[in-house]
Amino acid sequence: QVQLVEFGGGLVQTGGSLTLSCVVSGGTFSSYIMGWFRRAPGKEREFVARISQSGGTISYADFVKGRFTISRDNAKNTVILQMDSLRPDDTAMYYCAKDRPAIAYRNDDPRRYHYWGQGTQVTVSS
């Protein structure tokens, strides 16, 4: 059974930074494609970023390009989301998720992911 636990959320002012971590247990982490999503109050869950097994292929949602950086440490079974230049509209619950292989959904579609963490809250004050 794969389990994901996120850390690092909190309250930050506009323009500030936070680093989210997701520790994965179960299976072989280095073989997993991983993603970050978020859900703001009253909104659908939306894609934030995605990283391949080796970290060589990365994609971002347009609204975080240049501000957020996804990375991974396979030795520590951890995927990281560095968030800089935070804005109030980044306020959301942030989730990490494991990609489901051989499934016919877009990479940014939550249905492609089959294991999720419990989420960590990020609140950006104006």
Side-chain angles (χ1 to χ4, degrees), residues 4 7 9 11-12 19-20 23-24 34 41 44 50 54 57 59 73 78-79 83 87 95 102 105-106 110 112 118:
L4 297 79
F7 301 94
L11 174 64
V12 64
T19 303
L20 305 184
V23 179
V24 180
M34 299 296 299
E44 297 288 322
R50 173 182 167 96
S54 67
T57 301
S59 59
D73 184 340
T78 301
V79 58
M83 305 187 297
R87 311 184 302 222
Y95 301 87
Y105 293 116
R106 288 166 52 100
R112 186 179 178 88
Q118 82 290 347

Side-chain angles (χ1 to χ4, degrees), residues 22-42:
C22 172
V23 179
V24 180
S25 60
T28 305
F29 176 73
S30 59
S31 70
Y32 300 160
I33 296 171
M34 299 296 299
W36 283 96
F37 287 77
R38 70 185 188 185
R39 176 179 280 163

Side-chain angles (χ1 to χ4, degrees), residues 51-120:
I51 187 167
S52 64
Q53 295 93 329
S54 67
T57 301
I58 288 173
S59 59
Y60 295 100
D62 286 344
F63 57 78
V64 302
K65 284 181 180 177
R67 300 190 300 124
F68 291 9
T69 304
I70 188 172
S71 62
R72 65 191 294 158
D73 184 340
N74 285 344
K76 296 182 179 179
N77 289 6
T78 301
V79 58
I80 299 155
L81 187 67
Q82 175 65 40
M83 305 187 297
D84 299 315
S85 302
L86 283 161
R87 311 184 302 222
D89 60 0
D90 293 317
T91 295
M93 186 74 79
Y94 283 73
Y95 301 87
C96 66
K98 175 189 174 296
D99 178 85
R100 177 166 27 191
I103 194 78
Y105 293 116
R106 288 166 52 100
N107 289 348
D108 59 356
D109 190 326
R111 294 174 293 179
R112 186 179 178 88
Y113 299 78
H114 62 151
Y115 288 102
W116 295 82
Q118 82 290 347
T120 186

